[in-house]
Amino acid sequence: MPARLPLILILFYAFPAFAQNPPEPIVPPLMPQPDRMSVTAGAMPLTQSFAASLTGYTEPRLQRAVDRLYARITAQTGIPLEYGTRVPDHPALVIHTGRASEKVQKLGEDESYRLDVTTQGARLEAPTPLGVLHGLETFLQLVTSTQQGYVVPAVTIEDKPRFPWRGMLLDVCRHWMPKEVVLRTLDGMAAVKMNVLHWHLSEYQGFRVESRKFPRLQGMGSDGLYYTQNEVREVVDYARDRGIRVIPEFDMPGHATAWFVGYPQLASGPGPYHIERTWGVFDAAMDPTRDSTYKFLDTFIGEMAKLFPDDYFHIGGDEVSGKQWRENEKIQVFMRRHHLKDNPALQAYFNQRLQKIVRKHNRIMVGWDEILHPDLPKDVVVQSWRGQQSLAQAARDGYRGLLSFGYYLDLAQHADMHYAIDPLGGAAATLNPEQQARILGGESCMWAEWISDETVDSRIWPRNAAIAERLWSPAGVTDLNSMYQRLEAQSARLETAGLTHIAGYRPMLERIGGVNSWREMKILSDAVEPVKGYKRRLDHDQRKPLNRLVDAARPESLSARRFNRTVDAFIAAPENSTERKQAAEEVTGKLNEWLALPETLKPAFENSPMGAEAAGVAAALASLAQAARSAMQAIGAQQPVTAEWKAQQLDNLKKLSTDPNAEVVIAVAPGIQKLIEAVPYK
Ligand code: ACM
């Protein structure tokens, strides 16, 4: 834990992010929070003569990073940089790199950097290009607008990651994600210093990579929606340019139906097989008893190992139903002959043979926590998704592990929930230092049942930045107010960096409510969120569009959060105080907006079949706003209500705060509930 951090947090509260009066220190909202930072008064002006020079070790990747820096500064500030790629004698930013990094980025390489900014200039220094890439992202985050123009505040930052494996899983199978989505996701990951793309490439619902050895994999298992080998290489190169490793996952022996459409001989049941269109755990599984299965996998993994240079290779291993194994007499005979007492034992047998193949192709096997078995060699990496217990168990047993439990972005939970989950917390807190060192980090997971290429950005961002911070920043960085303040700033920056989580909102709202009603639709949508966890049931089919209110609504509405916080401020503030008046005004303003919605949106909904379910939500929101307004009046007048009134309002709130048909929750209901509860009563 860096000793200076508390000081930084104090500075954070003492000076607002966009201080208008240098020489007071400006503390920009960085995310992830650096390991060590000290801020001094003053700032370096960012003008059109800005340029950066590369000294020490250099390579084309570093020059490309500088070119991106220029492009992003221009995009962010509108300042045309006069030097272009020429470097003046005294560049504002000097970048010094110590040495080359590994040819293929390795787990645990030095990613540290040091950034010094004074009023006179800036210097970024890093042992390897990886640190330079991270430092440039920090530099961009430092760019701050003031009344004097754009500046880079004077800081000294010494930064390095807490965990060496900071990943994100992207499922491109349930719903297809075109290459452009993957590329901009990599830009976003780089911006928050994540360094592993876990590319989930095969499933029941699709096989997404071109195999030349087995062309029926993508030919019959993908509807034509797959990445060519050239596209894969492009993604891998793009990731490397941003300090990100790419690890493919080919899920087996379960989650594999799409393989069997073209190659039914791999399966344990008779088939025929078709691409699954709906969601769930299906029974089709590879046949672990046939040598031909391993021969196929040997050829396939050999081909993929050429395409994906990373040391690690993910074989899935999750959720094998076992039904096909139980129902196949030959498999049952095999199990008896090999003393495999149950399905997990058969899967362990499969994993051992698979691991040898993966090893033969110079890759290290990664799998979901179901693969944990004492017979597997200790270099296998276990990814925990079912709980923190399995991660601790893996580490105790001598395996290295990754945490994904608690980091599922598809469950539409709030950033603070993810933020509170620490890879070394929970069951891992009892591990000894040697065991803890086996925990490499974690990965957020963007499963794609209920996302499309249109909505994916808003499901990843900005919440993923909170997980990225958990994996990069010191364990003691846990302040939620600071996190949310920085999350909002980071959200806007990610949008400038090419993500579409904000820009993509309006077209969806326009589609539902018509082009003239998107403002009112946004008021409605900002007050709701998708149902949480695994509660979503409709659109349970790959071929159905995801274009309803639940898809437009944000997994975490930061606007709803602000409302709920303002209610807290209102209740906490002394009567007749300015804070209380301000909070009351803000709350009332929101309530009035919601009260007006059924009327203002009526014409929009009347002409839109998609609007019908949104109309129900607008009515529920207005009804809650009405209750909240009555509560505000009673609180203001100190006029007690009856206990029955209160009970009835709370009962009504409970009923209305989830709409199971629209599959949304009213995200401002917690604030409204507090208002009702705060009313004096007899
Ligand atoms: C998983 O969520 N089945 C890894």
Side-chain angles (χ1 to χ4, degrees):
M1 255 304 291
R4 263 175 287 176
L5 203 70
L7 169 70
I8 296 313
L9 290 179
I10 291 164
L11 286 172
F12 226 100
Y13 289 112
F15 303 100
F18 296 95
Q20 300 293 341
N21 290 320
E24 279 190 349
I26 302 167
V27 183
L30 299 181
M31 193 160 204
Q33 191 80 276
D35 187 44
R36 288 160 174 255
M37 169 165 79
S38 57
V39 183
T40 48
M44 175 183 100
L46 191 88
T47 66
Q48 68 186 63
S49 70
F50 176 84
S53 69
L54 290 163
T55 69
Y57 169 78
T58 191
E59 62 182 23
R61 173 167 65 158
L62 286 166
Q63 187 56 53
R64 289 194 291 272
V66 168
D67 293 345
R68 286 199 304 278
L69 174 78
Y70 291 160
R72 283 170 65 189
I73 285 177
T74 305
Q76 199 170 317
T77 64
I79 300 173
L81 301 179
E82 67 188 16
Y83 283 98
T85 50
R86 291 172 297 124
V87 182
D89 290 341
H90 299 287
L93 173 63
V94 174
I95 301 166
H96 185 84
T97 311
R99 59 169 193 276
S101 60
E102 298 283 346
K103 205 155 167 265
V104 174
Q105 192 174 324
K106 288 230 177 316
L107 171 67
E109 276 194 76
D110 194 326
E111 297 179 89
S112 68
Y113 68 94
R114 180 189 168 103
L115 180 60
D116 291 286
V117 183
T118 69
T119 53
Q120 303 305 307
R123 182 178 172 84
L124 170 62
E125 198 167 334
T128 78
L130 300 176
V132 170
L133 294 170
H134 295 314
L136 288 176
E137 294 292 345
T138 303
F139 185 85
L140 275 164
Q141 293 189 10
L142 286 169
V143 174
T144 300
S145 92
T146 69
Q147 280 176 350
Q148 286 74 34
Y150 285 97
V151 300
V152 183
V155 291
T156 297
I157 291 173
E158 287 174 86
D159 203 6
K160 61 178 166 40
R162 179 172 170 223
F163 292 105
W165 190 310
R166 306 175 306 280
M168 191 186 102
L169 173 148
L170 183 64
D171 172 7
V172 295
C173 301
R174 270 58 175 256
H175 283 96
W176 165 243
M177 300 293 157
K179 183 189 73 184
E180 289 65 32
V181 171
V182 182
L183 298 182
R184 68 177 188 251
T185 300
L186 288 165
D187 285 326
M189 290 172 66
V192 295
K193 301 181 172 56
M194 276 187 158
N195 66 354
V196 178
L197 173 68
H198 172 167
W199 208 357
H200 186 79
L201 289 165
S202 68
E203 259 301 341
Y204 310 117
Q205 295 91 351
F207 191 99
R208 303 297 184 198
V209 173
E210 174 193 16
S211 168
R212 294 184 184 160
K213 303 275 187 196
F214 302 108
R216 294 204 298 276
L217 285 171
Q218 76 278 4
M220 295 176 76
S222 78
D223 304 304
L225 302 173
Y226 62 91
Y227 309 102
T228 64
Q229 297 205 348
N230 280 340
E231 287 175 320
V232 169
R233 283 188 205 99
E234 187 186 338
V235 167
V236 168
D237 289 347
Y238 194 92
R240 177 175 167 79
D241 253 17
R242 286 152 183 79
I244 297 172
R245 301 160 47 210
V246 178
I247 294 173
E249 178 186 354
F250 294 98
D251 208 342
M252 51 191 130
H255 283 270
T257 314
W259 305 56
F260 307 151
V261 185
Y263 299 92
Q265 65 271 30
L266 289 171
S268 304
Y273 294 94
H274 56 88
I275 298 171
E276 293 289 356
R277 301 301 179 182
T278 60
W279 321 131
V281 174
F282 298 93
D283 296 323
M286 286 180 188
D287 186 344
T289 69
R290 273 189 288 194
D291 283 339
S292 55
T293 302
Y294 301 101
K295 195 159 170 280
F296 184 105
L297 292 176
D298 187 7
T299 305
F300 175 73
I301 291 171
E303 183 185 18
M304 291 301 123
K306 289 203 180 75
L307 207 47
F308 295 95
D310 198 83
D311 284 342
Y312 291 78
F313 192 95
H314 205 300
I315 58 87
D318 55 323
E319 296 183 307
V320 182
S321 95
K323 186 162 180 282
Q324 277 200 340
W325 292 349
R326 277 193 298 278
E327 290 175 354
N328 180 322
E329 191 46 42
K330 272 169 64 185
I331 291 178
Q332 291 303 309
V333 169
F334 180 94
M335 287 171 71
R336 283 193 292 276
R337 212 171 54 222
H338 288 78
H339 309 292
L340 299 167
K341 66 178 184 348
D342 53 16
N343 287 333
L346 179 58
Q347 191 180 349
Y349 169 87
F350 173 76
N351 285 337
Q352 282 175 68
R353 292 194 64 174
L354 185 57
Q355 190 274 335
K356 289 197 180 78
I357 294 168
V358 171
R359 185 72 273 178
K360 176 183 152 192
H361 295 289
N362 291 316
R363 296 294 181 269
I364 299 167
M365 186 166 108
V366 190
W368 297 106
D369 53 44
E370 284 95 331
I371 70 161
L372 195 55
H373 190 281
D375 290 342
L376 278 180
K378 300 295 182 203
D379 72 344
V380 164
V381 176
V382 175
Q383 183 166 14
S384 291
W385 72 280
R386 293 181 299 176
Q388 279 176 291
Q389 188 59 45
S390 60
L391 182 64
Q393 189 58 47
R396 255 186 233 107
D397 293 349
Y399 296 98
R400 291 172 305 158
L402 301 166
L403 185 65
S404 279
F405 169 82
Y407 299 149
Y408 271 33
L409 294 166
D410 56 315
L411 303 186
Q413 279 147 336
H414 290 179
D416 54 0
M417 189 288 279
H418 299 304
Y419 199 59
I421 307 271
D422 192 297
L424 295 181
T430 60
L431 298 176
N432 66 35
E434 189 190 346
Q435 293 163 340
Q436 285 200 343
R438 296 192 187 116
I439 294 178
L440 302 172
E443 290 184 355
S444 58
C445 293
M446 186 70 265
W447 298 108
E449 282 92 341
W450 275 284
I451 62 167
S452 67
D453 58 343
E454 182 177 34
T455 64
V456 56
D457 287 11
S458 71
R459 274 51 198 157
I460 299 174
W461 309 107
R463 294 176 305 148
N464 193 45
I467 300 171
E469 174 157 290
R470 178 55 53 242
L471 298 172
W472 176 281
S473 303
V477 176
T478 54
D479 184 276
L480 289 181
N481 287 330
S482 161
M483 184 274 278
Y484 273 107
Q485 181 201 16
R486 291 178 294 106
L487 191 72
E488 290 212 42
Q490 186 57 22
S491 181
R493 287 190 208 112
L494 285 161
E495 183 81 5
T496 339
L499 278 308
T500 67
H501 53 295
I502 299 171
Y505 200 13
R506 180 168 161 180
M508 298 193 74
L509 298 170
E510 288 181 346
R511 207 182 296 137
I512 300 168
V515 287
N516 295 322
S517 298
W518 70 270
R519 278 189 190 79
E520 291 75 20
M521 276 304 301
K522 183 170 184 300
I523 292 169
L524 174 64
S525 184
D526 277 351
V528 305
E529 291 171 1
V531 285
K532 308 293 162 186
Y534 293 103
K535 290 220 182 77
R536 206 155 164 199
R537 290 281 172 266
L538 303 175
D539 309 315
H540 194 284
D541 189 307
Q542 191 178 47
R543 294 158 299 190
K544 286 198 181 166
L546 293 168
N547 55 6
R548 299 158 56 209
L549 177 62
V550 56
D551 302 302
R554 322 274 88 181
E556 174 167 27
S557 165
L558 294 176
S559 155
R561 185 174 188 276
R562 266 194 303 278
F563 172 80
N564 292 331
R565 305 277 301 173
T566 309
V567 169
D568 289 340
F570 168 74
I571 291 169
E575 263 175 66
N576 300 321
S577 64
T578 319
E579 296 95 302
R580 181 138 165 150
K581 278 202 200 87
Q582 270 174 0
E585 240 168 68
E586 214 175 299
V587 168
T588 309
K590 280 285 170 200
L591 297 179
N592 290 339
E593 283 182 1
W594 299 332
L595 277 164
L597 284 179
E599 202 49 43
T600 51
L601 278 171
K602 203 169 166 189
F605 291 155
E606 270 169 0
N607 296 318
S608 156
M610 265 203 285
E613 64 176 13
V617 180
L621 179 62
S623 167
L624 295 186
Q626 184 59 55
R629 202 157 71 167
S630 304
M632 289 288 286
Q633 276 158 2
I635 294 167
Q638 277 304 301
Q639 200 173 55
V641 297
T642 62
E644 289 75 30
W645 182 88
K646 213 163 166 165
Q648 194 183 25
Q649 298 306 315
L650 290 173
D651 191 47
N652 195 42
L653 178 129
K654 206 166 156 209
K655 281 199 204 94
L656 294 181
S657 56
T658 301
D659 184 330
N661 298 317
E663 304 192 301
V664 296
V665 296
I666 294 190
V668 295
I672 293 175
Q673 179 171 343
K674 282 185 188 158
L675 286 173
I676 296 169
E677 282 167 351
V679 178
Y681 68 103
K682 304 190 281 254

